[in-house]
Amino acid sequence: NYVPKFCFRSSGFANKFSLPELEAKIFWLMQISFITENVPLPPLRREVVAQWIAAVAATHGKRVGALTYIFCDDPYILQTNRQYLQHDYFTDIITFDYSKPQRIAGDMVMSLDTVRTNSELYARSYEEELMRVIVHGVLHLCGINDKGPGEREIMEKNENEALAILPKDVFDISK
């Protein structure tokens, strides 16, 4: 039971625009929450992240509904992995999918400790790995898997395509 610390909402926004205008401004209709458990919130420009997520989802024929990112530490994700998936290991992200056919929705629990470890392991910047894992959850909600034969390569290709359209100003460097 958590209360989102941040979300995108606009009262009455949808009544002010025609359907084409609304489609162009769809990111305002999404609810994307970023909350933390035992870690500081990464300095993300939330509106930029939301627009990017919407663009990635659109390339897969999906719209964005309610998404929650729960940034946490390794002990928290291990507890979540044990409790909900009966897995006894650390992971970078666990995605709980509540999507409907054309609209993605879900909760994504993301260990910033594991993101940091993986960034070092794969010789990537922490920021690149963070964004890779953020979009990894979105891609799962879009229906892309990574556990079966050949699926990891498909996921990685989609992650790379998503990172290629990531705006350069996604991080708030003033924080």
Side-chain angles (χ1 to χ4, degrees), residues 102-123:
Q102 297 303 315
R103 185 172 302 275
I104 63 171
D107 294 332
M108 290 159 282
V109 181
M110 200 170 141
S111 171
L112 298 184
D113 293 340
T114 301
V115 168
R116 181 154 316 277
T117 300
N118 287 348
S119 73
E120 294 165 3
L121 180 67
Y122 299 118

Side-chain angles (χ1 to χ4, degrees), residues 28-86:
W28 287 111
L29 300 179
M30 299 179 293
Q31 176 182 316
I32 302 179
S33 303
F34 299 89
I35 64 173
T36 63
E37 288 290 338
N38 309 322
V39 296
L41 187 65
L44 299 169
R45 292 190 176 185
R46 297 169 185 143
E47 184 177 311
V48 174
V49 173
Q51 291 173 6
W52 175 59
I53 288 170
V56 171
T59 66
H60 296 278
K62 307 286 185 179
R63 293 189 196 178
V64 176
L67 300 178
T68 302
Y69 283 94
I70 304 160
F71 297 109
C72 66
D73 58 6
D74 273 349
Y76 187 90
I77 205 161
L78 181 60
Q79 174 190 351
T80 303
N81 215 2
R82 287 174 176 160
Q83 181 177 351
Y84 294 99
L85 302 176
Q86 291 71 53

